[in-house]
Amino acid sequence: MSGLSLAHELELKGYPSVTVMEQADRVGGKCCSIEYKGRTYEMGALIGLPSYKLTMEYMERFDLLEKGPLLDRGFFHPQGSRISQIPLEQMPDFAREFKRLPSLMRRYESVREPGFRQVPPELCKPFSTWCDENELTVLRQVFMHYFCAFGFGNIDDVPTVYVMKLLNYDNLMSFIEITHMISWPSGVTELPRRMADRVSDLRLTCEVQRIYQENTGGVRVETNQGPLYFDKVIYTAPLQGFAQKVELIRDEEELFKSIIDEKFRVYAYRVENMPKLSGYIPDNMGIASRGNMMAWYYRWADLAQTDLITVYVAENDHMSDAEIRENIESTLASLGGENIRLYMMKRWNHFPHVDTAALESGFYERLENLQGKNGIYFAGEIMNFPTLENCIRYAKALVNRYF
């Protein structure tokens, strides 16, 4: 999405020739819609929020404002019983914390800006620590539900600034209200597909092998399709692989080595008699529960009967594929599912980020200082956060700043 957004913004600025090199045989990356029995289902990104203003602008620009299926949801115990998101006895504390939240979040309005320059020290700490310091015991659980379920790691480890990139106050309210969420009837992949149709030079199955700046100042890119020559290059692929493609000094190599990601799986299961809504399983969102089903998406529940659901699981390095599947299928059965059959699975290297120590040592300041060196710029998930809105926002800001 970042590469296509950059191409679109550059062409809006009048650049006549923009090439997008995509290693895969399709555009979209983690925007990955499939078709099953004439309807679309999501194996990657699945929703947008009404607070995603730039995404909404793109949707209007590319004629994608048709409303998709409604999203209803519930919260469940791993053994199948339905539970409240907030237990009744915690509601008074929830109300007190929620009343303080707007003023607390206003301290960090700068987080809404593209990028991570000058992160306040308190936002470098793990989110659970920040919640403890601000006495957000109950709200911590609410943030956890919407952050952890879709592959963004654990709030006991992840620095607070990342949680706030996903769940600023407006976005959190959109998750809580749920009814106005964006779900594309033709699949989230339709947006990048339509954007790709307008790219002046799109090259699929084009693998970048090396990038050099030539003496003339131009940039040579070696690919499996032969050498290509450009005035500038913007690199949006995962930065963990960047060091193998360019000449770096030792400090720069160490910078890129500090990037980590989450191993995340999305399963599509054919299953009958499931509750006709999407569900969260909070007890399966902790570090000790990796390899268990954290949530599922029942798409089209308001419009048609379907036997396909998508299931979300944080990978466990100590569990085999068969063990993870056994956990999922046991939970589906506990929820009432019958005739359970695996349809497909996608594994993602998800949510590139750095830990507290790297943030505190100035990772993003050092990375931003590399922008433009040897004719190469950076955009993509790690530069702002892996949502449609944040990728578009950073791409637009990069073009406005440097081009």
Side-chain angles (χ1 to χ4, degrees):
M1 193 63 194
S2 293
L4 293 168
S5 299
L6 287 159
H8 179 62
E9 296 294 335
L10 286 166
E11 289 178 347
L12 287 177
K13 277 216 165 185
Y15 283 79
S17 178
V18 179
T19 297
V20 173
M21 291 167 279
E22 169 58 63
Q23 181 172 306
D25 60 1
R26 65 172 186 89
V27 295
K30 293 186 183 79
C31 296
C32 181
S33 309
I34 62 170
E35 188 169 305
Y36 173 76
K37 295 184 178 179
R39 295 186 181 275
T40 56
Y41 295 82
E42 307 295 4
M43 296 298 295
L46 68 152
I47 54 171
L49 304 178
S51 50
Y52 286 5
K53 303 305 181 187
L54 292 178
T55 306
M56 296 285 282
E57 287 180 18
Y58 273 33
M59 288 168 57
E60 182 173 10
R61 199 172 295 164
F62 291 93
D63 194 23
L64 276 174
L65 292 179
E66 181 186 0
K67 290 185 178 180
L70 295 177
L71 180 60
D72 190 12
R73 59 119 194 270
F75 293 82
F76 292 80
H77 191 271
Q79 278 66 53
S81 57
R82 191 160 181 176
I83 59 176
S84 298
Q85 182 177 18
I86 306 297
L88 187 61
E89 64 272 16
Q90 294 182 357
M91 287 304 295
D93 289 334
F94 171 77
R96 283 191 291 270
E97 293 176 16
F98 194 78
K99 188 175 181 179
R100 290 194 293 113
L101 188 63
S103 61
L104 184 59
M105 299 291 274
R106 275 197 293 272
R107 299 179 194 172
Y108 307 110
E109 282 296 300
S110 61
V111 173
R112 295 175 182 259
E113 296 300 314
F116 291 94
R117 280 184 175 270
Q118 298 177 332
V119 176
E122 63 269 31
L123 299 190
C124 295
K125 301 174 182 178
F127 184 69
S128 59
T129 302
W130 181 85
C131 287
D132 289 341
E133 292 175 351
N134 289 280
E135 300 180 341
L136 299 179
T137 305
V138 181
L139 269 174
R140 171 172 52 192
Q141 302 172 51
V142 177
F143 277 92
M144 178 191 74
H145 298 158
Y146 304 130
F147 189 82
C148 298
F150 302 109
F152 298 121
N154 191 275
I155 61 171
D156 293 332
D157 298 323
V158 173
T160 300
V161 68
Y162 290 115
V163 180
M164 289 192 175
K165 278 288 186 181
L166 175 66
L167 296 171
N168 62 46
Y169 187 77
D170 291 340
N171 291 355
L172 182 65
M173 292 304 99
S174 293
F175 269 109
I176 290 173
E177 293 173 358
I178 202 172
T179 53
H180 303 295
M181 286 187 175
I182 304 163
S183 58
W184 296 264
S186 50
V188 64
T189 305
E190 186 66 10
L191 177 57
R193 189 191 68 77
R194 293 192 185 189
M195 294 174 69
D197 284 345
R198 299 195 192 177
V199 173
S200 56
D201 182 15
L202 173 65
R203 295 171 182 247
L204 298 178
T205 62
C206 184
E207 181 182 351
V208 173
Q209 297 161 344
R210 294 288 291 175
I211 307 173
Y212 310 88
Q213 186 172 44
E214 300 194 308
N215 294 333
T216 60
V219 184
R220 174 186 172 109
V221 180
E222 298 286 351
T223 79
N224 62 329
Q225 298 180 6
L228 301 171
Y229 300 89
F230 302 99
D231 298 310
K232 307 289 182 184
V233 165
I234 309 176
Y235 192 91
T236 64
L239 287 181
Q240 294 93 316
F242 182 70
Q244 286 74 51
K245 296 179 171 61
V246 296
E247 298 285 343
L248 296 176
I249 62 175
R250 179 173 295 179
D251 285 351
E252 293 168 349
E253 288 181 357
E254 293 302 315
L255 184 70
F256 291 107
K257 286 179 182 178
S258 64
I259 300 170
I260 53 180
D261 54 28
E262 297 290 330
K263 308 300 182 186
F264 188 59
R265 300 187 182 195
V266 182
Y267 290 81
Y269 268 95
R270 296 179 64 186
V271 53
E272 298 169 3
N273 297 328
M274 281 289 290
K276 292 181 174 56
L277 76 172
S278 299
Y280 293 86
I281 307 176
D283 285 356
N284 285 347
M285 294 181 187
I287 294 175
S289 297
R290 287 179 180 271
N292 287 277
M293 172 177 162
M294 297 186 293
W296 78 91
Y297 181 25
Y298 192 117
R299 188 165 161 88
W300 304 107
D302 61 318
L303 298 175
Q305 181 75 20
T306 181
D307 67 344
L308 195 76
I309 63 167
T310 46
V311 171
Y312 303 92
V313 179
E315 193 165 296
N316 187 328
D317 292 336
H318 303 292
M319 294 175 63
S320 67
D321 291 347
E323 288 170 326
I324 294 176
R325 282 188 57 189
E326 183 178 353
N327 284 348
I328 296 169
E329 291 165 17
S330 175
T331 303
L332 291 174
S334 296
L335 290 161
E338 298 176 353
N339 197 16
I340 300 166
R341 294 151 292 163
L342 179 65
Y343 183 67
M344 68 175 291
M345 184 268 284
K346 290 285 291 186
R347 298 178 67 177
W348 300 108
N349 292 332
H350 193 37
F351 180 39
H353 63 288
V354 296
D355 62 16
T356 290
L359 269 181
E360 291 175 337
S361 68
F363 170 84
Y364 279 102
E365 287 80 2
R366 293 164 64 196
L367 186 56
E368 290 286 359
N369 287 337
L370 292 177
Q371 293 283 25
K373 182 179 178 181
N374 298 324
I376 303 170
Y377 299 80
F378 304 104
E381 294 179 334
I382 194 171
M383 304 305 293
N384 205 30
F385 195 82
T387 61
L388 293 175
E389 182 72 6
N390 280 305
C391 288
I392 294 170
R393 185 173 296 278
Y394 191 86
K396 190 177 182 73
L398 182 79
V399 170
N400 288 336
R401 182 177 181 186
Y402 293 107
F403 295 85

